[in-house]
Amino acid sequence: MLNMSELVAVFLTEARELVEQLERGVLALEKSPGEVTAEDINAMFRAAHTIKGSAGVVGLDHVVHFTHLVETAFEQLRSNKLVVDRSLSQLLLRCNDHIASLLHCAEVSAEPAANLLQAGDALLNQLRPLLQQSAQSSENDIASPSVGSAKQKSSCHVFLKLSASCFTDGLDPVILVRYLRQHAAVCREYWYAGQVQPLTQIAPAQAETCQLMLDLLMEDIAEATLLEALEFIRQDSLCAIFNHDSPVEAQQLFLDSLESPALAQELKQRWQALGLLKVPVEVSAGTTPSLLPRSETKAENKNQPRQIDQRMMRLPAYKLDTLVNQLGELLIATATLHEHSRQFNNSDLTERVQQVQQLVDDIQGSALQLRMVQIGETFNRFQRVVHDIAAELGKDVHLVIEGADAELDKSMVERISDPLMHLVRNAMDHGLESASERIAAGKSAHGSLLLRAYHDCGSIVIEIRDDGRGINRDKVRQKAISQGLISAGAELTLRQIDELIFEPGFSTADTVSNLSGRGVGMDVVRRNIEALRGTVDISSEPGAGTQFQLRLPLTLAIIDGFMVRVGQSRFVIPLDMVNECIELPADMALDTDAGYLNLRGEVLPFIFLNQMFGLGAAASDRRSIVVVRYGKQSAGLVVDQLLGEFQTVIKPLGKLFQFLQGISGSSILGSGDIALILDIPRLVQIHVQATERQRTTTTI
Amino acid sequence: MMQMSSSSSNRAESDHSGVLGNVGQYLTFNSGGECYALGILAIKEIIEFGNITKIPMLPLFVRGVINLRGAVVPVIDLAARLYGEQLTAGRRTCVVIVELDTEDGKIELGVVVDAVNEVLELSAKDLAAAPNFGSRIRTDFIRQMARIQDRLVMILALERVLSVDEMAGLVALSQEKSASEQVA
């Protein structure tokens, strides 16, 4: 059984999602009311309704009290009693934020502060006059907020298939219907019998069997009254209640759950005849009535897989982490077993072990898949951010999202959210101009900001592009000189100038604003991204805009590696970065300073790993070069021996080695030895810096 | 070689008196010709010396990492950390696996020593305050002094000797140094 605090935790997780859903909905409503369907508004109403109802269950009275009016607002939107305009949507957004704040209080188990509650009342006071009179009176109905379910009266459809023993049990359906009729404003009843056999075939013992089915249509009946009335009859009979809150699929789900397909078909036809069947909106539109039965079966097939896909399971993240870790151990153990089994020269054994290894590999692959989430959720959060910042800056900005379905590891998603936020703020503050400036520059008045994600070479690439003024390179240069980052006479390529904005302490903003200009930021962005084994690239065109490109690995847990030997040490190079392996030409077999190689007409700088790592002179005379590529940069690594590909779990080296350069982690081999994983981008960077320094010293 | 009973590690959670350098059980061992003691509750096990994977460009006191039943554990050369001279492995050299509490949770570290001697019980009368000066090693590395058979033995303040923050800083320094040395 769930105890109360667990229940609250479940509620909070759910409510947070609903709040986000509401936010998205309201933003969509504000942006393009025409595209928002009735079903969308219905979904928003349901979200508000669910928050209120569940909050009542877990005893969060503030939330119930506040959300009630918000719910009413959505209810009136739904019934077109209320028309959405900008002020209303802004108010609804603020209300939504308030719900989030209340939820946050509940999360830290604090009572909401008095000023928060006052703010809430103020919002309600703003909202109340907008709503129609009926809503206000119904608010009094929920004087005791803990009964969240005692919501306003509404219409509903009840289906009953009375149990066979109904009459002998002493339950009289007629009495039930009579009772309901007293409590409902309108009550229509449709009785019908199921498969009644001809009288002659009925055995005396079966004479009292009840075959009746009943459809009841009621207006304005309190839910509690209804449930109370049905309490006894529900125990044995088949009973289903659909009210307007039930999702469209509810009827279909119920029909699918019936044991007899014939009955399901019969009910469907009957409900259709009575006009009770709710059909998913997208299907009913555009199909002619005469074709309805056939198109419905199609819709059924179409909806089926979607229902399976959408059923979600919630579980604590640590359980997944434990599973992935354990599978990692299993992978290592299997590799060890494989290594040992080969010593026995028993082909049968080896084959079996290989089979097991393959399976473990597969399972691990699926386990890692479990941790993959779509980036869309993170992107969607920026709708609101952009909306708010645009309002604050008085700019008109359209956010375009592409590739929201690109997947990456959950832990990754959490950690890129802050850097992304920074880049988006930066683009809006520095990149995009105000509407008047844009028009003066001959551009459309509204700026556009593109967030795009896609997979490339086993990495995920995230682009943040604006069509603003681009980087003012002169200004950047001036600032960098005045801040002592470069010398006045330094000759820099355009790219190098652009890169200056990633220097710690750099800022071009003349005034420090709320959003940016403090000079902390871009360097932090770069550091955070690099800590995730990723890179940030910037490209900018004056007058046309700036693009930031983040390149990140898909997961932090596992790596497809290529193993090499240098001296006695073994190193793993991430396989995604390996382009090719070539033999070191004989005339370069000595440790030279030449450092460059002509690879099919291209200049390939290379690094002697043994020198770099101080591993002593090479023991082998047949050395190889592994050509690695990261982003646009290529380099060759000189190694003693190539040991081949393998997949491995990354074991972080821990806090002690947090500042290690050129090595990103370790991995345990089948033999039990440890191999170090090379951090290629960093390695190349160290090498480039070292050679540049060398060049400057030699020229002096 | 010798595995501490699991009860000792359980006790580590409930009773810290040994770690805090008061009355309790201590392990004595030799390093760089000197005898030291460590509160036993911080010690998880003692394993053979060997199979250490070197990591390039590290300061002397980091020997590398070992695979301890699937976990990658850094190994610290105690002699190098205390006096700056790396230990030469001998027949009795072994690695003491200790567990430290840090801000980010517990971490395991291996400590290479010349030889382990014995586990003994020290009472209050055997203990004395650490000297303020005059010792061969940094005084803040000494928690207390213990009299063991007319000899004075230093009880190490493990959290300072093996301060992860400090050592990580030294690792960073050494990395930068080796990177710039390559140019020279």
Side-chain angles (χ1 to χ4, degrees):
Chain A
M1 261 321 267
L2 289 173
N3 63 30
M4 202 56 186
S5 64
E6 282 172 21
L7 208 59
V8 173
V10 170
F11 160 72
L12 286 172
T13 330
E14 187 194 39
R16 261 194 302 269
E17 274 173 25
L18 291 169
V19 166
E20 275 174 31
Q21 188 191 333
L22 271 177
E23 187 179 284
R24 276 202 300 278
V26 176
L27 283 171
L29 206 58
E30 182 184 313
K31 209 163 142 194
S32 45
E35 286 172 26
V36 178
T37 62
E39 180 50 35
D40 290 341
I41 296 179
N42 210 358
M44 284 188 252
F45 166 74
R46 280 201 302 271
H49 179 68
T50 312
I51 294 175
K52 189 184 86 174
S54 320
V57 172
V58 294
L60 295 171
D61 294 349
H62 306 294
V63 182
V64 178
H65 176 72
F66 185 82
T67 318
H68 173 69
L69 211 61
V70 179
E71 180 197 345
T72 315
F74 283 112
E75 208 273 326
Q76 299 201 353
L77 274 176
R78 187 177 64 169
S79 50
N80 291 326
K81 287 181 198 152
L82 200 61
V83 181
V84 73
D85 59 9
R86 196 171 166 83
S87 65
L88 176 65
S89 63
Q90 291 286 358
L91 185 59
L92 284 175
L93 279 177
R94 288 218 303 282
C95 288
N96 201 30
D97 288 348
H98 186 73
I99 298 176
S101 320
L102 290 175
L103 291 176
H104 179 74
C105 289
E107 192 170 16
V108 294
S109 337
E111 275 294 306
N115 58 357
L116 186 66
L117 291 177
Q118 277 165 15
D121 288 340
L123 284 171
L124 289 183
N125 286 334
Q126 285 183 45
L127 189 58
R128 200 165 284 128
L130 299 173
L131 303 179
Q132 291 193 357
Q133 212 56 37
S134 62
Q136 288 176 33
S137 59
S138 85
E139 189 196 6
N140 301 334
D141 288 351
I142 74 151
S144 61
S146 58
V147 250
S149 55
K151 56 174 236 70
Q152 68 267 47
K153 297 172 171 190
S154 57
S155 65
C156 72
H157 164 212
V158 176
F159 168 73
L160 274 174
K161 183 182 187 303
L162 299 168
S163 71
S165 58
C166 176
F167 293 143
T168 47
D169 288 347
L171 287 169
D172 190 347
V174 177
I175 295 176
L176 171 83
V177 173
R178 206 172 292 158
Y179 174 77
L180 286 175
R181 205 175 272 165
Q182 285 168 5
H183 287 85
V186 185
C187 182
R188 278 179 292 158
E189 46 192 295
Y190 300 95
W191 294 87
Y192 43 101
Q195 293 128 347
V196 182
Q197 289 158 334
L199 267 179
T200 47
Q201 287 173 26
I202 296 180
Q206 292 177 323
E208 285 177 336
T209 310
C210 172
Q211 302 278 3
L212 289 172
M213 286 182 278
L214 169 65
D215 276 314
L216 277 169
L217 287 179
M218 286 165 288
E219 296 279 344
D220 277 0
I221 180 149
E223 208 173 322
T225 321
L226 181 65
L227 291 177
E228 200 184 329
L230 294 171
E231 192 180 355
F232 286 104
I233 214 146
R234 280 174 79 161
Q235 287 172 1
D236 292 310
S237 306
L238 190 60
C239 172
I241 305 171
F242 308 105
N243 49 29
H244 60 84
D245 280 355
S246 327
V248 178
E249 301 92 333
Q251 283 184 337
Q252 190 57 47
L253 281 174
F254 169 69
L255 289 177
D256 288 346
S257 70
L258 290 176
E259 280 167 10
S260 140
L263 177 62
Q265 194 56 37
E266 192 196 341
L267 284 181
K268 200 166 175 178
Q269 280 168 7
R270 190 170 283 271
W271 288 351
Q272 203 183 314
L274 292 171
L276 294 174
L277 198 64
K278 291 185 189 169
V279 186
V281 183
E282 70 262 36
V283 177
S284 68
T287 46
T288 52
S290 64
L291 284 173
L292 214 56
R294 241 181 71 204
S295 64
E296 248 163 47
T297 41
K298 244 191 258 163
E300 216 179 299
N301 296 338
K302 208 164 74 186
N303 282 354
Q304 213 65 4
R306 211 178 66 193
Q307 279 163 15
I308 294 166
D309 281 347
Q310 285 179 344
R311 239 184 304 164
M312 294 284 189
M313 206 169 128
R314 227 180 270 283
L315 77 171
Y318 79 88
K319 282 191 180 175
L320 267 185
D321 292 343
T322 319
L323 177 71
V324 171
N325 279 340
Q326 283 167 342
L327 279 169
E329 303 290 338
L330 182 61
L331 199 71
I332 293 166
T334 333
T336 317
L337 182 65
H338 182 67
E339 202 121 309
H340 282 285
S341 73
R342 279 200 297 208
Q343 294 167 6
F344 289 100
N345 272 335
N346 180 336
S347 62
D348 235 23
L349 178 68
T350 317
E351 197 179 317
R352 295 279 183 281
V353 171
Q354 254 164 4
Q355 227 168 15
V356 173
Q357 203 174 12
Q358 187 59 47
L359 282 171
V360 173
D361 270 3
D362 293 350
I363 295 172
Q364 197 190 26
S366 339
L368 286 171
Q369 271 303 316
L370 290 179
R371 292 169 48 99
M372 294 294 191
V373 293
Q374 296 191 344
I375 199 165
E377 203 179 312
T378 314
F379 277 4
N380 278 331
R381 224 172 290 159
F382 286 105
Q383 293 280 15
R384 178 67 191 276
V385 173
V386 168
H387 174 273
D388 285 0
I389 300 179
E392 197 176 321
L393 294 172
K395 295 180 182 175
D396 187 4
V397 181
H398 284 201
L399 177 67
V400 182
I401 289 174
E402 281 179 24
D405 56 350
E407 289 189 324
L408 76 169
D409 196 280
K410 189 166 182 348
S411 58
M412 208 71 182
V413 168
E414 285 158 9
R415 292 202 244 175
I416 58 167
S417 170
D418 279 357
L420 273 184
M421 177 74 82
H422 222 103
L423 290 173
V424 166
R425 280 166 173 265
N426 189 70
M428 297 200 54
D429 198 22
H430 297 300
L432 293 166
E433 316 92 327
S434 62
S436 51
E437 278 177 74
R438 288 185 67 88
I439 292 168
K443 299 186 197 179
S444 65
H446 61 82
S448 80
L449 187 64
L450 172 77
L451 274 179
R452 179 157 72 149
Y454 57 90
H455 288 216
D456 177 48
C457 297
S459 316
I460 185 160
V461 177
I462 302 170
E463 291 175 353
I464 300 103
R465 188 194 299 165
D466 64 66
D467 65 347
R469 55 172 79 96
I471 291 178
N472 184 341
R473 298 207 170 97
D474 290 338
K475 196 171 172 189
V476 168
R477 207 188 146 86
Q478 291 301 325
K479 279 279 177 179
I481 293 170
S482 71
Q483 286 166 354
L485 297 171
I486 53 169
S487 64
E491 279 183 30
L492 299 174
T493 61
L494 295 181
R495 195 186 158 81
Q496 278 170 324
I497 295 176
D498 292 349
E499 297 260 320
L500 283 172
I501 66 165
F502 289 116
E503 290 296 318
F506 183 84
S507 168
T508 55
D510 296 321
T511 52
V512 172
S513 76
N514 208 356
L515 294 169
S516 42
R518 289 179 208 280
V520 285
M522 296 311 274
D523 63 314
V524 178
V525 168
R526 168 172 273 189
R527 249 205 335 269
N528 287 349
I529 296 296
E530 282 176 354
L532 299 171
R533 291 192 278 128
T535 55
V536 193
D537 262 328
I538 175 170
S539 55
S540 176
E541 182 129 347
T546 310
Q547 170 176 314
F548 288 93
Q549 192 183 56
L550 313 184
R551 184 176 280 271
L552 291 155
L554 292 180
T555 167
L556 298 171
I558 200 166
I559 193 167
D560 269 317
F562 187 81
M563 191 152 60
V564 296
R565 184 176 63 78
V566 181
Q568 293 306 305
S569 309
R570 274 183 274 192
F571 296 98
V572 177
I573 303 168
L575 193 63
D576 316 321
M577 299 177 190
V578 177
N579 245 13
E580 59 179 317
C581 301
I582 51 177
E583 208 165 300
L584 185 70
D587 57 332
M588 302 194 81
L590 293 169
D591 294 357
T592 63
D593 279 339
Y596 290 95
L597 183 79
N598 181 348
L599 180 69
R600 291 188 294 274
E602 278 184 47
V603 176
L604 180 77
F606 60 84
I607 303 167
F608 287 97
L609 277 184
N610 59 342
Q611 278 183 338
M612 184 157 197
F613 286 157
L615 295 169
S620 153
D621 49 352
R622 274 193 65 226
R623 290 191 286 171
S624 305
I625 295 181
V626 181
V627 181
V628 292
R629 185 180 65 90
Y630 194 71
K632 291 163 195 157
Q633 189 106 36
S634 281
L637 302 177
V638 181
V639 302
D640 290 346
Q641 196 186 353
L642 304 174
L643 297 169
E645 291 173 29
F646 78 134
Q647 193 183 47
T648 182
V649 176
I650 298 175
K651 294 267 174 188
L653 283 170
K655 210 179 161 203
L656 181 58
F657 299 124
Q658 58 185 321
F659 302 117
L660 222 50
Q661 306 204 348
I663 289 165
S664 61
S666 65
S667 164
I668 295 178
L669 306 178
S671 58
D673 292 334
I674 297 171
L676 299 172
I677 300 168
L678 295 179
D679 177 356
I680 301 294
R682 186 80 193 109
L683 210 59
V684 172
Q685 200 185 344
I686 296 173
H687 184 72
V688 168
Q689 280 168 358
T691 42
E692 262 171 22
R693 233 175 297 163
Q694 196 173 25
R695 204 171 305 139
T696 36
T697 33
T698 44
T699 47
I700 290 164
Chain B
M1 274 170 87
M2 140 180 177
Q3 183 129 19
M4 294 296 153
S5 67
S6 62
S7 68
S8 70
S9 61
N10 288 343
R11 267 168 55 200
E13 268 139 29
S14 56
D15 170 12
H16 274 275
S17 60
V19 186
L20 294 175
N22 296 317
V23 184
Q25 286 192 315
Y26 288 83
L27 172 78
T28 61
F29 56 89
N30 293 341
S31 179
E34 193 84 45
C35 186
Y36 298 97
L38 264 184
I40 207 162
L41 299 185
I43 299 171
K44 287 193 82 177
E45 62 185 291
I46 299 169
I47 60 169
E48 244 176 299
F49 177 78
N51 273 332
I52 295 182
T53 306
K54 281 195 185 130
I55 296 180
M57 309 192 285
L58 283 187
L60 276 183
F61 68 83
V62 188
R63 280 288 182 134
V65 288
I66 52 166
N67 168 9
L68 184 71
R69 291 185 298 277
V72 176
V73 176
V75 178
I76 306 299
D77 188 319
L78 191 63
R81 173 80 173 131
L82 296 179
Y83 326 110
E85 292 161 26
Q86 225 176 14
L87 154 159
T88 26
R91 202 174 49 85
R92 294 184 64 199
T93 306
C94 54
V95 181
V96 180
I97 306 290
V98 296
E99 192 173 61
L100 290 178
D101 280 315
T102 68
E103 287 163 17
D104 310 321
K106 290 190 193 311
I107 60 159
E108 285 182 351
L109 283 174
V111 180
V112 190
V113 299
D114 286 335
V116 288
N117 300 331
E118 59 183 335
V119 175
L120 31 88
E121 187 99 29
L122 294 179
S123 58
K125 67 176 170 47
D126 302 323
L127 300 172
N132 290 327
F133 59 90
S135 70
R136 205 175 140 204
I137 66 173
R138 267 164 59 180
T139 46
D140 65 331
F141 283 176
I142 310 169
R143 190 188 313 281
Q144 272 182 315
M145 303 297 286
R147 264 180 295 274
I148 301 169
Q149 294 160 352
D150 300 331
R151 265 202 321 162
L152 275 176
V153 170
M154 287 172 264
I155 299 173
L156 292 177
L158 206 58
E159 74 285 350
R160 297 218 186 86
V161 177
L162 301 181
S163 156
V164 174
D165 287 326
E166 188 183 316
M167 291 196 297
L170 291 169
V171 168
L173 270 181
S174 140
Q175 296 266 306
E176 276 164 33
K177 202 167 131 243
S178 345
S180 57
E181 267 171 8
Q182 279 173 41
V183 186

